[in-house]
Amino acid sequence: MNFLSELTGSFSIPCADNPTVAMVEAAYQHHGLDWRYINCEVPPEHLADAVRGAVAMGWRGFNCSLPHKVSVIQYLDDMGESASIMEAVNCVVIDEGKLTGQNTDGKGFVESLQERTDPAGKHMVIIGAGGAARAIGVETALTGASRITIVNRSSERGQKLAALLNEKTSATATFRQWDGPISIPEDVQIVVNATSIGLGDPDEQLDLDWDSVRSDLVMADVIPNPPKTHFVREAGERGCIVIDGLGMLVNQGVIGVKFWTGHDVDPAVMRAKLEEIFGV
Ligand code: NDP
């Protein structure tokens, strides 16, 4: 008999609408893993205590969401390659008291991208320059994307991301100011919406020249809710290869569970739980 479950979870604030707990626990249950995932509301001034508490209670790891992705780094012993380039951690692995920070957002995106195309040698347009765009840009560059064009509303953030990619990866990155409808150049193979446009609003639209969107393009969105954004629907109608934001969310969960438990869990189980929650 064993009544002691292994513990994992998440530290963020606000967190009541974060469905990761339901998605991860569905996988634990499906695979008969005696593991738990606890969604914890942790304000910034209590992050240090929360991390110490997780170690004290023998937790095996935790996700960090906003606003802790950068501030958690000071409590870690080590970092994965992409997390240290991004300087952002969303997944901490605790192994015999040693804390290692990883970033599974970009890895989750690349996993869902690779189900449809290999980014190696490709030219990708990333719309947006926030945390999601940084994770996607760094991880796809590390996977071999050769050219990355960052398109962003504010030039400061966009230029900073392009500079980071040029300095820390082998990809060639350029920045384009987003000051009118974005036209997709003919040598581009992958387009990513990494802005928050569409979050919570299925009709919110990007200022994009849809006539420049060819049917052979891979069009990927990061917005998980609703999954069928205007971007996803319009790209689908134009015959593109479409990847919705659930793919990234599910795969970052699969990768996090692998880091913690060593088990490969079924992404279909996690996706089905999210689809049930979002009423897809
Ligand atoms: P940030 O706040 O760091 O960045 C937001 C980005 O969106 C910036 O580039 C910002 O431009 C741009 N943006 C927002 N509103 C507009 C607008 N009206 N017009 C033009 N540009 C706009 O957010 P994150 O990068 O952390 O997150 C972005 C989205 O990614 C969120 O919706 C989140 O839900 C999603 N996400 C999904 C994940 C998944 O697993 N599917 C994982 C992580 C995030 P500017 O710099 O000019 O302000």
Side-chain angles (χ1 to χ4, degrees):
M1 266 190 289
N2 176 19
F3 295 101
L4 184 63
S5 303
E6 301 287 358
L7 298 178
T8 57
S10 176
F11 300 158
S12 67
I13 185 166
C15 67
D17 60 355
N18 184 344
T20 306
V21 54
M23 177 181 83
V24 173
E25 292 231 314
Y28 287 164
Q29 278 163 26
H30 177 80
H31 292 280
L33 297 170
D34 188 12
W35 287 62
R36 297 287 177 279
Y37 186 101
I38 302 162
N39 191 22
C40 303
E41 189 163 81
V42 176
E45 65 274 22
H46 289 155
L47 181 63
D49 288 340
V51 174
R52 266 196 295 275
V55 174
M57 289 185 282
W59 282 37
R60 302 292 294 274
F62 54 87
N63 286 128
C64 279
S65 200
L66 296 176
H68 305 315
K69 288 186 181 184
V70 176
S71 51
V72 74
I73 292 172
Q74 61 191 301
Y75 309 116
L76 305 179
D77 302 301
D78 202 0
M79 302 246 282
E81 183 188 13
S82 60
S84 65
I85 293 175
M86 291 168 211
E87 297 180 345
V89 163
N90 77 330
C91 180
V92 174
V93 184
I94 308 174
D95 186 13
E96 295 181 356
K98 182 183 170 200
L99 283 77
T100 304
Q102 300 284 354
N103 196 304
T104 58
D105 281 337
K107 292 184 199 305
F109 175 83
V110 166
E111 189 74 30
S112 52
L113 183 61
Q114 283 175 325
E115 288 165 16
R116 313 308 297 272
T117 191
D118 182 357
K122 302 257 163 64
H123 181 187
M124 178 164 78
V125 167
I126 300 178
I127 308 167
R134 196 160 37 133
I136 289 167
V138 168
E139 207 71 53
T140 15
L142 292 179
T143 315
S146 55
R147 283 184 64 198
I148 298 178
T149 301
I150 305 292
V151 180
N152 199 49
R153 178 180 60 180
S154 89
S155 62
E156 197 190 332
R157 262 174 132 183
Q159 275 166 350
K160 214 170 141 193
L161 177 52
L164 176 80
L165 294 172
N166 282 324
E167 192 189 326
K168 299 277 176 72
T169 77
S170 60
T172 303
T174 45
F175 168 68
R176 256 173 64 191
Q177 177 87 45
W178 190 2
D179 50 11
I182 305 164
S183 179
I184 306 301
E186 287 197 354
D187 64 346
V188 166
Q189 291 93 16
I190 303 163
V191 178
V192 186
N193 171 34
T195 71
S196 41
I197 295 172
L199 187 67
D201 181 355
D203 296 320
E204 199 180 0
Q205 299 188 20
L206 278 89
D207 192 10
L208 185 59
D209 172 12
W210 282 98
D211 288 338
S212 69
V213 174
R214 309 179 315 269
S215 61
D216 62 322
L217 283 172
V218 175
M219 300 286 283
D221 203 341
V222 297
I223 301 298
N225 185 26
K228 289 197 174 65
T229 55
H230 173 270
F231 181 91
V232 161
R233 296 195 311 274
E234 186 71 35
E237 279 166 24
R238 286 170 188 267
C240 306
I241 300 165
V242 184
I243 300 170
D244 68 23
L246 286 183
M248 178 175 174
L249 186 56
V250 165
N251 283 315
Q252 63 84 20
V254 169
I255 293 163
V257 171
K258 172 85 174 182
F259 273 131
W260 299 323
T261 71
H263 288 273
D264 289 302
V265 291
D266 185 354
V269 171
M270 293 168 125
R271 187 172 176 108
K273 176 52 82 175
L274 291 178
E275 286 181 350
E276 180 192 318
I277 291 167
F278 295 145
V280 178

